[in-house]
């Protein structure tokens, strides 16, 4: 099999030991299996730095978007209105969810290379008492920008509203003091910084706000409170659970602890990212996001200007040598992205840099 490592924001490269867990078939109502689900739920609260009294966690089948849609469609009531702060495709996806679920929303749309401004959020909330919820993305994977959810959370709490955060590509890859930052619902998924495989999302919920959502759900399969009620009893998933994915995730959590927890993982990702940007800049590439707001998860680079750069050639050349990078997600500029999360180390980044430098030399030799 021709294998390569993924320099993408998830699914990402996982360890062989995580993959090996999936060789076992499990029965969904078996006590041992249900105990694994409960262990995962506990561990997630620990990683979020919250107490079991104030917060609880729910696992939800599907990819990350299913988790976001589950929160929106289950928590925001018929008389409520949500302020969506966006600066990328994932923030904008929240507005699509609202459209489908017929949830009233206000869109505070920031340009992709700037972060939503907390004082602007405070101003909008002061002007519109009808807004009950505020939602935003932490690490906007569209560009790699890291948003200031701490400052926005403060404004949301000061105004007494509920705060929903999509921390899909940041949770597990950096410390997020969930309670301190005023987050009521945080969504992430199995195949990002915890380094599991795709198959479910998880939601860290403030207990009282979850319980207060009774009767709001617009979907049966994505009903967050119903899912929680079933899972809270003894770890049973409401409908067929992704058993192999759950086992892999439990192993991934053990490996996160063995690495030294979130601080150690953050440091590794930061090291990967700093090395990547430094070496890419030496070769003449420019990052799209300025260094003050660049997160350490994924980086968007402009196409090099001087040559007739062909992304497909570039992608194929790198993939044949062991790494898969990612196309850009900006609509108005030619860019590509390189992720540095997953089972990726500075040695991988060094290898990638070497491959890219050889690509550039070869293209020059061909007079292109
Ligand atoms: C990955 C990701 C999602 C979820 O995408 P899915 O394709 O549904 O897994 C949502 N938000 C952000 C910021 C992401 O990085």
């Amino acid at each position: 099999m021709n294998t390569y490592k993924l320099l993408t924001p998830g699914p990402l490269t996982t360890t062989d030991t995580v993959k090996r867990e999936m060789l076992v078939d499990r029965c969904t109502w078996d006590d041992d299996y249900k105990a694994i689900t409960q262990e995962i739920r506990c561990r997630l609260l620990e990683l979020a730095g919250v107490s079991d009294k104030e917060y609880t966690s729910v696992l939800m089948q599907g990819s990350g978007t299913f988790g976001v849609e589950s929160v929106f469609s289950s928590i925001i009531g018929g008389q409520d209105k949500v302020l969506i702060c966006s600066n990328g495709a994932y923030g904008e996806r929240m507005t699509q969810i609202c459209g489908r679920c017929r949830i009233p929303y206000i869109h505070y749309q920031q340009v992709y290379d700037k972060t939503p401004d907390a004082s602007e959020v405070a101003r909008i909330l002061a002007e519109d008492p009808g807004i009950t919820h505020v939602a935003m993305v932490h690490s906007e994977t569209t560009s790699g920008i890291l948003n200031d959810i701490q400052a926005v959370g403060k404004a949301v709490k000061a105004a007494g509203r509920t705060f929903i955060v999509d921390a899909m590509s940041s949770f597990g890859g950096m410390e997020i003091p969930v309670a301190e930052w005023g987050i009521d619902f945080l969504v992430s998924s199995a195949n990002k910084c915890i380094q599991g495989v795709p198959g479910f999302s998880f939601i860290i919920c403030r207990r009282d706000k979850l319980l207060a959502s009774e009767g709001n759900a617009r979907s049966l399969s994505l009903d967050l409170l119903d899912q929680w009620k079933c899972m809270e009893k003894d770890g049973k998933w409401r409908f067929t659970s992704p058993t192999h994915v759950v086992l892999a995730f439990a192993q991934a959590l053990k490996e996160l602890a063995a690495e030294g927890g979130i601080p150690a993982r953050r440091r590794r990702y930061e090291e990967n990212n700093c090395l990547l940007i430094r070496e890419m800049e030496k070769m003449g590439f420019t990052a799209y996001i300025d260094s003050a707001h660049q997160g350490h998860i994924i980086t968007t680079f402009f196409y090099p200007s001087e040559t007739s750069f062909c992304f497909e050639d570039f992608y194929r050349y790198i993939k044949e040598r062991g790494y898969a990078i990612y196309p850009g997600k900006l609509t108005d500029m030619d860019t590509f992205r390189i992720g540095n999360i997953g089972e990726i180390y500075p040695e991988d980044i060094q290898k990638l840099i070497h491959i890219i430098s050889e690509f550039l030399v070869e293209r020059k030799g061909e007079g292109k």
Side-chain angles (χ1 to χ4, degrees):
M1 197 167 55
N2 191 11
T3 60
Y4 48 85
K5 290 191 186 178
L6 305 180
L7 297 173
T8 60
L12 35 68
T13 296
T14 57
T15 61
D16 290 341
T17 38
V18 162
K19 286 188 273 283
R20 203 172 298 143
E21 287 295 308
M22 295 186 286
L23 294 173
V24 181
D25 300 312
R26 290 279 188 157
C27 178
T28 54
W29 49 259
D30 175 79
D31 285 342
D32 293 340
Y33 177 72
K34 288 191 285 189
I36 294 169
T37 295
Q38 295 299 59
E39 179 62 35
I40 288 172
R41 294 180 60 221
C42 274
R43 186 80 197 106
L44 287 175
L45 292 184
E46 283 169 31
L47 290 177
V50 293
S51 77
D52 180 46
K53 247 175 73 185
E54 255 191 309
Y55 283 84
T56 186
S57 63
V58 190
L59 313 185
M60 182 61 77
Q61 294 92 332
S63 79
T65 305
F66 290 62
V68 177
E69 188 155 344
S70 171
V71 171
F72 271 70
S73 63
S74 306
I75 298 303
I76 305 172
Q79 307 302 313
D80 294 339
K81 182 157 70 173
V82 58
L83 169 66
I84 296 167
C85 313
S86 82
N87 59 339
Y90 293 102
E92 286 162 13
R93 190 175 292 174
M94 291 172 168
T95 66
Q96 291 180 299
I97 291 173
C98 286
R100 291 292 201 287
C101 299
R102 297 184 172 80
I103 296 167
Y105 69 94
I106 304 272
H107 193 186
Y108 163 31
Q109 194 168 18
Q110 181 58 284
V111 290
Y112 283 20
D113 60 348
K114 290 203 169 60
T115 58
D117 183 32
S119 58
E120 179 62 11
V121 171
R123 192 191 62 75
I124 297 169
L125 293 180
E127 272 182 9
D128 189 345
I131 297 171
T132 49
H133 297 70
V134 177
M136 76 186 276
V137 174
H138 186 203
S139 161
E140 210 358 309
T141 322
T142 309
S143 63
I145 198 167
L146 188 67
N147 290 328
D148 192 351
I149 52 169
Q150 183 180 9
V152 172
K154 210 170 164 188
V156 174
K157 287 301 107 171
R161 321 294 169 86
T162 296
F163 193 30
I164 300 167
V165 173
D166 167 349
M168 214 68 69
S169 67
S170 55
F171 190 80
M174 62 191 81
E175 297 89 334
I176 305 175
V178 173
E180 232 176 277
W181 288 3
I183 303 169
D184 299 297
F185 296 91
L186 178 145
V187 189
S188 187
S189 75
N191 61 285
K192 303 247 167 156
C193 297
I194 309 278
Q195 298 188 183
V197 303
F200 69 86
S201 59
F202 55 86
I203 302 109
I204 314 283
C205 318
R206 195 179 275 280
R207 260 179 200 273
D208 53 356
K209 300 219 171 176
L210 175 66
L211 289 169
S213 71
E214 184 81 55
N216 287 346
R218 295 158 179 83
S219 153
L220 173 69
S221 53
L222 295 176
D223 188 330
L224 189 64
L225 181 60
D226 215 31
Q227 179 89 344
W228 174 80
K229 280 181 185 167
C230 183
M231 211 168 251
E232 182 73 354
K233 266 185 237 151
D234 63 351
K236 173 99 168 55
W237 292 58
R238 231 175 5 147
F239 309 128
T240 300
S241 73
T243 49
H244 302 83
V245 181
V246 169
L247 293 177
F249 191 74
Q251 175 64 22
L253 284 172
K254 282 182 199 150
E255 294 180 12
L256 172 59
E259 184 172 351
I262 291 175
R265 182 153 294 177
R266 172 190 33 86
R267 284 193 294 274
R268 173 163 63 85
Y269 288 170
E270 279 174 346
E271 207 183 322
N272 287 345
N273 187 256
C274 287
L275 180 64
L276 173 73
I277 294 176
R278 193 175 68 227
E279 294 300 320
M280 288 293 280
E281 285 180 345
K282 272 192 209 161
M283 289 189 286
F285 289 93
T286 309
Y288 168 65
I289 298 297
D290 69 73
S291 57
H293 296 108
Q294 172 66 52
H296 59 269
I297 303 296
I298 186 167
T299 309
T300 298
F301 293 101
F302 289 109
Y303 283 8
S305 55
E306 56 286 75
T307 55
S308 57
F309 180 80
C310 170
F311 177 75
E312 286 68 30
D313 287 349
F314 185 60
Y315 177 82
R316 204 175 316 114
Y317 187 94
I318 296 170
K319 186 180 152 189
E320 281 165 3
R321 287 157 184 79
Y323 294 94
I325 63 166
Y326 227 42
K329 210 175 164 79
L330 307 182
T331 47
D332 53 345
M333 274 170 276
D334 285 329
T335 57
F336 61 89
R337 290 177 294 170
I338 301 179
N340 53 259
I341 58 176
E343 196 58 6
I344 298 295
Y345 293 85
E347 302 85 79
D348 293 296
I349 304 297
Q350 299 281 16
K351 280 186 200 159
L352 173 78
I353 294 302
H354 184 70
I355 295 164
I356 293 177
S357 71
E358 296 214 308
F359 173 87
L360 295 175
V361 167
E362 280 182 32
R363 290 302 122 136
K364 229 180 213 157
E366 287 166 17
K368 280 192 181 174

